[in-house]
Amino acid sequence: MTAPALALEGVSVDRAEVPVIHDVSLDAAPGAVTVILGANGAGKTTLMDGIAGLAKVKSGAIRLDGTPIEKMAPYRRARAGLGYVEQARTTFRTLTVEQNLLVSQSGGGELSTVYKLFPELDKRRNLQAGYLSGGEQQMVVLGRALVSEPKVVLIDEMSLGLAPMVVRRLMTTIGELAGMGIAVVLIEQFANLALEVGTQAHVLRKGGVVFSGPCAELRGDDERLHRLYFGGPPLTTADRDAGPAESERP
């Protein structure tokens, strides 16, 4: 059995000294997409920030390729092979696409790999990032994580504010990243799209894991997802018509 690229054991994370994540254990395998789901306020982003070193890990162990990283500074975690694509889709707006990518380049990370995944960026490599569409900016942020030669990439709500067609295009790329042997950990508001590309799913509720299993067990089952998210009755027709909730940051 392949060893996990990322392993969490009994991890608890605080946000501004307030406990948010409680005793979370999960693995992310190389070449697979691990999906983290949950309602607004479930603690998904806090969990990601804890893994990346942006929120305080109060207890538990986080191992990257077998190495404990829970006490490392964020930049050391990045150097060890942890990439983080945050919600904000932050680019250096006055730098060109290529300059944005070069900022994160390390080791043998190749820009050609990014341009192969995103031919749209190849055509705009000399354009300032501030002139890109939202989808193209998200491609830059994903590409910036890729050229750092990550073993694991955390991706938090990349679909925010993007058209469904663009989201589907980016989801295809998530599968391609996994195909390169990278362990992808994905938070996504469009649950069924994430479950289509994902391998293993974990659902958070009130900071704890309430489901861990194959994505196929949840795919297309909106009523079960609703019960896992909220612990309440199945979805009504009105609930289904309301659409996905917006992202949270506890």
Side-chain angles (χ1 to χ4, degrees), residues 38-42 44-45 87 156-157 159-161 187-190 229-230 242-249:
N40 292 351
K44 304 185 299 293
T45 293
Q87 287 183 19
D156 189 1
E157 299 281 21
S159 67
L160 284 178
I187 292 176
E188 181 49 55
Q189 62 175 332
F190 294 107
Y229 278 24
F230 304 108
E246 293 184 0
S247 163
E248 63 33 283
R249 179 175 286 272

Side-chain angles (χ1 to χ4, degrees), residues 101-140:
L101 297 176
L102 287 170
V103 165
S104 296
Q105 189 180 31
S106 64
E110 294 289 341
L111 299 191
S112 59
T113 303
V114 178
Y115 292 140
K116 183 178 179 180
L117 282 174
F118 300 117
E120 300 93 331
L121 298 185
D122 192 10
K123 299 173 184 176
R124 293 164 173 75
R125 62 170 69 192
N126 296 316
L127 183 67
Q128 288 183 349
Y131 291 102
L132 299 175
S133 68
E136 290 166 343
Q137 288 182 23
Q138 187 65 77
M139 292 175 192
V140 170

Side-chain angles (χ1 to χ4, degrees), residues 160-234:
L160 284 178
L162 300 180
M165 181 175 66
V166 177
V167 175
R168 287 191 175 276
R169 161 76 177 89
L170 293 173
M171 283 294 179
T172 299
T173 302
I174 298 305
E176 292 173 336
L177 291 179
M180 295 165 61
I182 297 170
V184 179
V185 182
L186 176 67
I187 292 176
E188 181 49 55
Q189 62 175 332
F190 294 107
N192 281 311
L193 283 180
L195 292 169
E196 283 177 15
V197 74
T199 308
Q200 198 77 2
H202 304 276
V203 179
L204 292 182
R205 186 169 74 231
K206 296 181 180 179
V209 175
V210 294
F211 172 89
S212 292
C215 288
E217 288 191 19
L218 298 179
R219 196 177 299 137
D221 194 342
D222 291 343
E223 292 192 1
R224 187 177 184 190
L225 279 172
H226 184 273
R227 291 194 297 272
L228 288 169
Y229 278 24
F230 304 108

